[in-house]
Amino acid sequence: LEESLGNGFRTFDIIQFQIQGLQIQKVSDTEYRVSYTAQLTGRINRQNPSYEDRASVTDTVAITTDGPRIARTNGNNLWKKKW
């Protein structure tokens, strides 16, 4: 995720990230399943067309002593894009 978003910030002047349909399900005392649709839009100097990608994301979130952390992301490729 860090590498992919870093590539986006080097490529685009404007990046917009939207999350829709957020659903959270408790799996255990220390684990949650989080599902949502993510849309990433990037623009260069306000030009059209812009780059846009949408993905359905399901994360496994672990509750650690340092707070919640994404332990695993299943079933999407939004974060694997190389701009």
Side-chain angles (χ1 to χ4, degrees):
L1 175 60
E2 183 177 341
E3 179 182 335
S4 183
L5 288 179
N7 289 340
F9 283 115
R10 283 187 289 281
T11 303
F12 300 109
D13 298 318
I14 300 168
I15 294 180
Q16 182 178 25
F17 186 79
Q18 292 180 319
I19 294 176
Q20 298 173 334
L22 180 66
Q23 297 180 359
I24 302 171
Q25 298 173 320
K26 187 173 184 175
V27 175
S28 70
D29 287 342
T30 60
E31 195 172 87
Y32 290 82
R33 183 172 297 116
V34 180
S35 301
Y36 54 93
T37 300
Q39 181 175 324
L40 184 67
T41 305
R43 288 192 175 93
I44 299 174
N45 293 323
R46 300 180 189 261
Q47 295 176 358
N48 284 327
S50 61
Y51 171 85
E52 191 171 289
D53 200 358
R54 179 184 296 254
S56 295
V57 180
T58 301
D59 293 327
T60 299
V61 176
I63 306 302
T64 70
T65 55
D66 295 326
R69 300 283 184 250
I70 297 174
R72 211 166 35 256
T73 299
N74 303 311
N76 79 81
N77 61 5
L78 181 65
W79 312 130
K80 297 176 185 169
K81 298 286 184 187
K82 302 282 185 190
W83 291 299

